[in-house]
Amino acid sequence: MSTTVRAPGRVKEVTSLSNPIIKDIRLLEKKRHRDETGLFLAEGMKLVIDAMESGWTIRTLIYGKAGKGQEKVEALAARCLAQGADVLIVSEKVLGAIARRDNPQMVMGVFEQQWLPRDTIAPTGNDTWVALDRVRDPGNLGTIIRTADAAGAKGVILVGQTTDPFATETVRATMGSIFAVPLARMDEAAFIDFAGKWPGIVAGTHLKGAVDYRKPDYTREPVLLVMGNEQAGMTDELADACTTLIKIPQAGRADSLNLAIATGVCLFEIRRHALTFDGDDA
Ligand code: SAM
């Protein structure tokens, strides 16, 4: 989150796809441009409001002309301007081109990316973190971030070359959890060093795991759940860095579970003690 006080933003109406600001926003589809600018695009009014309320810095608010005069949209625009973000009021054509799909959301925001520095991760109690070895599929990564949020994990660590969590497709799949789950990234060597200093269980999920995933006691110390790559599983070096290798027993003919599903199954077991059911149990 940026702490600098910014001058109020400006409002512009844009109808042309050749407008340089629009061209720049559309380039956020490319990872290289996201890396260079440190920005990304999030779609939907609720998401934009949630992100701002969680302290994320918005650079540009974009909304369709249909939002003009709508109380909620105008209030959001005023708030963005006061925080120093620019506001673009655009035609349907421009909105669709930015979202790269039909029926786009009426409101979108360009936000600054946030990455958690490795040395700020200080697990205590029975905190749970998830580490993903070279995750490749944007849908899997988005689903895992959403699931980590729902299970009450403290954050997700991306290990090695992974798909970009700030890609529009991944952000969509997180359903807003991108703004709730801290993300860190490390190369494999840095992660092995980090795992070696972990003050609790480092549970690697492995098809050759000797321990049923329901067996360890996850209630007493921080848990670092390590998941392997979709095709190759985790590297031998990562497996060696784990204090235990766990496996989800399977029936049927499938060799393995989908990565996001396996992460969900393990996470909800690890967090079982911390998740209370608030419905009636009649
Ligand atoms: N061919 C890969 C292998 O041999 O590991 C399959 C990878 S699987 C699709 C992706 C990841 O999901 C695995 O590395 C592991 O982290 C997790 N996974 C899938 N099924 C699992 C199971 N039954 N038990 C534990 N982890 C599992």
Side-chain angles (χ1 to χ4, degrees), residues 3 28 40 52 57 77 82 120 122 146 155 160 166 180 199 202 228 263:
T3 50
L28 289 175
F40 70 106
M52 291 174 69
T57 302
T120 61
R146 180 181 178 186
F166 295 108
V202 182
T263 309

Side-chain angles (χ1 to χ4, degrees), residues 48-165:
V48 169
I49 293 173
D50 285 355
M52 291 174 69
E53 271 163 14
S54 309
W56 288 65
T57 302
I58 185 162
R59 289 279 195 89
T60 310
L61 177 78
I62 305 145
Y63 70 88
K65 278 183 175 165
K68 261 181 158 180
Q70 286 191 22
E71 203 180 318
K72 272 190 176 170
V73 178
E74 303 247 345
L76 177 60
R79 190 170 159 195
C80 291
L81 287 170
Q83 290 191 9
D86 290 329
V87 171
L88 300 179
I89 305 169
V90 302
S91 61
E92 281 303 309
K93 185 179 71 178
V94 171
L95 206 58
I98 293 173
R100 293 176 192 274
R101 61 172 172 180
D102 296 334
N103 302 319
Q105 299 266 2
M106 199 202 339
V107 174
M108 297 183 227
V110 175
F111 285 89
E112 291 179 7
Q113 297 180 12
Q114 286 186 24
W115 289 99
L116 202 63
R118 171 195 155 158
D119 54 13
T120 61
I121 304 175
T124 57
N126 49 33
D127 287 357
T128 305
W129 282 76
V130 184
L132 304 172
D133 177 21
R134 296 163 297 152
V135 55
R136 285 289 146 81
D137 183 83
N140 274 345
L141 178 54
T143 305
I144 291 170
I145 292 171
R146 180 181 178 186
T147 308
D149 184 16
K154 293 285 176 193
V156 172
I157 300 166
L158 303 179
V159 182
Q161 288 291 320
T162 67
T163 191
D164 182 6

Side-chain angles (χ1 to χ4, degrees), residues 99-244:
R100 293 176 192 274
R101 61 172 172 180
D102 296 334
N103 302 319
Q105 299 266 2
M106 199 202 339
V107 174
M108 297 183 227
V110 175
F111 285 89
E112 291 179 7
Q113 297 180 12
Q114 286 186 24
W115 289 99
L116 202 63
R118 171 195 155 158
D119 54 13
T120 61
I121 304 175
T124 57
N126 49 33
D127 287 357
T128 305
W129 282 76
V130 184
L132 304 172
D133 177 21
R134 296 163 297 152
V135 55
R136 285 289 146 81
D137 183 83
N140 274 345
L141 178 54
T143 305
I144 291 170
I145 292 171
R146 180 181 178 186
T147 308
D149 184 16
K154 293 285 176 193
V156 172
I157 300 166
L158 303 179
V159 182
Q161 288 291 320
T162 67
T163 191
D164 182 6
F166 295 108
T168 308
E169 188 185 347
T170 312
V171 172
R172 264 180 209 147
T174 72
M175 299 293 287
S177 293
I178 188 86
F179 296 115
V181 177
L183 298 174
R185 55 186 163 182
M186 297 176 204
D187 64 25
E188 188 184 76
F191 179 76
I192 288 172
D193 177 62
F194 172 84
K197 295 174 181 149
W198 185 263
I201 303 174
V202 182
T205 52
H206 207 291
L207 300 184
K208 293 190 186 136
V211 179
D212 185 313
Y213 78 111
R214 295 164 293 194
K215 277 274 148 44
D217 179 358
Y218 300 116
T219 64
R220 292 145 73 96
E221 46 192 350
V223 180
L224 177 55
L225 174 68
V226 187
M227 306 299 302
N229 164 269
E230 288 98 334
Q231 270 80 45
M234 74 178 67
T235 62
D236 292 344
E237 289 75 14
L238 281 189
D240 288 345
C242 296
T243 57
T244 181

